[in-house]
Amino acid sequence: MDVQAKIKETVTSNKVVLYMKGSPKFPQCGFSSVAAQILNACGAEFVAVDVLQDMEVREGIKQFANWPTIPQLYVGGEFIGGADIMRSMYQSGELQELLAKA
């Protein structure tokens, strides 16, 4: 299975997926830490994928959403955005609504 198919399967078979550097308990960058904290603050159940464990996924995810940075949040198979977008959606309450629907 190629990396794009693998990513597509992950984001479509899980309601909420966060591609990040490190894990929610041990994030390896500030933006990944913020993204995981936001999801935890929302009480969201999510699957975290550590891109540092797989270079193919790390490069492939950037192409998948045509988004150059990590972390990346997917809800219901749709690309939502990175840490800055998550932060502004969280502050407006939009992220909580989106996660509640998922």
Side-chain angles (χ1 to χ4, degrees):
M1 180 185 295
D2 81 333
V3 72
Q4 296 297 316
K6 183 177 167 184
I7 292 167
K8 184 171 183 163
E9 184 182 321
T10 302
V11 300
T12 54
S13 62
N14 298 286
K15 287 181 177 143
V16 183
V17 182
L18 180 66
Y19 282 84
M20 64 182 294
K21 293 178 181 172
S23 69
K25 286 192 181 355
F26 300 103
Q28 299 294 312
C29 86
F31 294 111
S32 289
S33 176
V34 166
Q37 286 172 0
I38 289 170
L39 289 175
N40 287 329
C42 293
E45 285 185 31
F46 64 99
V47 172
V49 179
D50 181 359
V51 299
L52 301 178
Q53 300 296 322
D54 188 334
M55 287 312 288
E56 276 191 352
V57 170
R58 184 177 183 174
E59 290 310 309
I61 195 67
K62 295 174 186 178
Q63 294 157 357
F64 186 79
N66 197 19
W67 189 261
T69 57
I70 294 160
Q72 291 186 13
L73 176 67
Y74 292 81
V75 177
E78 297 288 312
F79 173 62
I80 304 304
D84 292 343
I85 291 169
M86 288 174 67
R87 185 184 287 125
S88 66
M89 287 177 70
Y90 176 70
Q91 288 167 343
S92 73
E94 196 181 345
L95 186 62
Q96 293 88 322
E97 283 177 38
L98 185 68
L99 291 167
K101 288 179 195 161

